[in-house]
């Protein structure tokens, strides 16, 4: 479970990313963060990935009080989650398999079965046959699936994806969201920001609506779940 209490983010230019945001994100679900452009979705995703810190307020992820993490603990926390952000491109001079293996190498938990681990992870996103391809030779949606594989190869319990289906046609974006749903079925906590409303109809997935750096109706998705 993720708890966000009274969190404000003010950027150096004075702009507010979040305004006294409080919400709870249930664990082991696929949870959507939706809302119009400028609502604060990316700011929230970056906070959860510990890429930025709040100006005010408190964030707890599982039992980690993010405010208390310092030095090496910050790097360790970042490595412990799987993140998919638009500004984290694939390395074009490496193969798909090498891209997916990278977090394993960085985490220094390389095992003799690393190739197996990478292939199995590519299986999850349906790209085992592209192991030795260059990312340049894949479609945009295949590249996004490689990024998902790279995010989950270390078996994190929390995945954060910021607008993972942006610019994708509806059919492909449904396929991407199905991957996230399957991960949530395996008891992972998956937080996906999107302003694509087509994905928000499934009552099993809580939706947190944001607007102007605040929650619009935090309980909507959760209440709907309980009502069934
Ligand atoms: N690096 C930044 N510097 C200044 N303002 C920013 C920065 N990033 C986001 N903002 C502002 O914070 C608010 C929330 O932005 P963002 O989190 O990117 O929203 P969303 O992802 O929902 O479009 C917007 O008003 C945006 O202009
Ligand atoms: Mg955004």
């Amino acid at each position: 479970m993720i708890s966000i209490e009274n969190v404000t983010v003010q950027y150096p230019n004075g702009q507010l990313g979040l305004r006294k945001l409080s919400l709870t994100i249930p664990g082991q679900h696929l949870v959507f963060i939706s809302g119009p452009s400028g609502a604060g979705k990316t700011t929230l995703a970056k906070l959860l990935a510990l890429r930025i810190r709040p100006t005010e307020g408190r964030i707890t992820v599982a039992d980690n009080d993010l405010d208390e993490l310092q030095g090496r603990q910050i790097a360790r926390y970042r490595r412990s989650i799987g993140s998919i952000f638009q500004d984290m491109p694939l390395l074009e001079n490496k193969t798909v398999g090498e891209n997916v293996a990278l977090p394993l190498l960085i985490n220094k938990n390389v095992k003799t079965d690393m190739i197996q681990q990478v292939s199995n992870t590519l299986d999850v996103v349906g790209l085992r046959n592209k192991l030795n391809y260059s990312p340049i030779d894949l479609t945009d949606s295949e590249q996004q699936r490689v990024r998902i594989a790279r995010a989950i190869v270390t078996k994190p319990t929390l995945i954060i994806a910021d607008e993972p289906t942006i610019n994708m046609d509806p059919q492909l974006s449904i396929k991407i969201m199905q991957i996230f749903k399957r991960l949530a079925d395996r008891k992972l906590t998956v937080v996906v920001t999107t302003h694509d409303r087509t994905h928000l109809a499934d009552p099993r997935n809580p939706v947190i609506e944001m607007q102007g750096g605040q929650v619009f109706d935090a309980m909507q998705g959760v209440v709907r779940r309980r009502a069934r």
Side-chain angles (χ1 to χ4, degrees):
M1 195 187 80
I2 299 171
S3 149
I4 291 156
E5 292 167 57
N6 259 316
V7 166
T8 295
V9 170
Q10 183 163 34
Y11 286 104
N13 66 353
Q15 190 77 35
L16 287 174
L18 296 176
R19 302 161 197 260
K20 291 200 177 293
L21 176 74
S22 293
L23 62 90
T24 302
I25 298 175
Q28 306 183 345
H29 277 93
L30 167 57
V31 179
F32 287 116
I33 311 285
S34 92
S37 178
K41 304 182 296 295
T42 298
T43 303
L44 176 58
K46 284 185 173 168
L47 280 172
L48 297 179
L50 205 51
R51 294 181 55 175
I52 57 170
R53 301 195 99 148
T55 316
E56 263 177 58
R58 184 154 174 248
I59 301 162
T60 11
V61 177
D63 287 326
N64 290 306
D65 184 339
L66 297 197
D67 208 26
E68 286 178 1
L69 302 185
Q70 298 298 336
R72 280 187 188 183
Q73 294 170 316
I74 296 173
R76 196 179 307 142
Y77 173 83
R78 285 190 190 134
R79 286 197 308 263
S80 77
I81 61 175
S83 37
I84 297 142
F85 283 90
Q86 277 139 52
D87 61 358
M88 290 167 43
L90 297 170
L91 303 178
E92 295 189 342
N93 60 347
K94 303 229 178 279
T95 65
V96 164
E98 286 166 344
N99 269 281
V100 175
L102 216 58
L104 294 173
L105 295 167
I106 293 168
N107 274 10
K108 298 194 185 78
N109 60 355
V110 185
K111 297 181 189 129
T112 44
D113 67 350
M114 182 165 72
I115 293 172
Q116 193 62 44
Q117 223 171 317
V118 168
S119 315
N120 290 348
T121 308
L122 281 170
D123 242 359
V124 175
V125 299
L127 288 177
R128 194 191 199 111
N129 58 338
K130 299 285 162 85
L131 185 77
N132 294 315
Y133 279 55
S134 161
I136 310 169
D137 296 324
L138 303 185
T139 65
D140 287 351
S141 117
E142 286 172 334
Q143 288 187 13
Q144 191 64 305
R145 278 146 66 194
V146 177
R147 286 159 166 232
I148 296 173
R150 183 178 62 180
I152 63 174
V153 71
T154 56
K155 302 195 188 338
T157 53
L158 171 63
I159 313 280
I160 297 157
D162 189 29
E163 303 264 8
T165 60
I166 201 152
N167 301 332
M168 259 179 222
D169 72 49
Q171 274 178 322
L172 291 175
S173 88
I174 285 168
K175 276 193 176 172
I176 296 283
M177 292 302 187
Q178 275 168 348
I179 296 172
F180 290 122
K181 281 182 190 165
R182 284 202 297 271
L183 293 173
D185 288 342
R186 295 182 184 185
K187 305 287 177 215
L188 274 74
T189 304
V190 187
V191 180
V192 173
T193 74
T194 183
H195 64 247
D196 182 351
R197 306 215 57 86
T198 55
H199 302 298
L200 308 181
D202 187 338
R204 283 172 304 174
N205 307 121
V207 179
I208 293 163
E209 291 278 355
M210 291 183 64
Q211 220 174 78
Q214 290 172 323
V215 176
F216 191 58
D217 184 358
M219 294 308 285
Q220 190 190 36
V222 179
V223 168
R224 212 160 51 205
R225 273 176 53 74
R226 290 205 183 118
R228 296 212 142 203

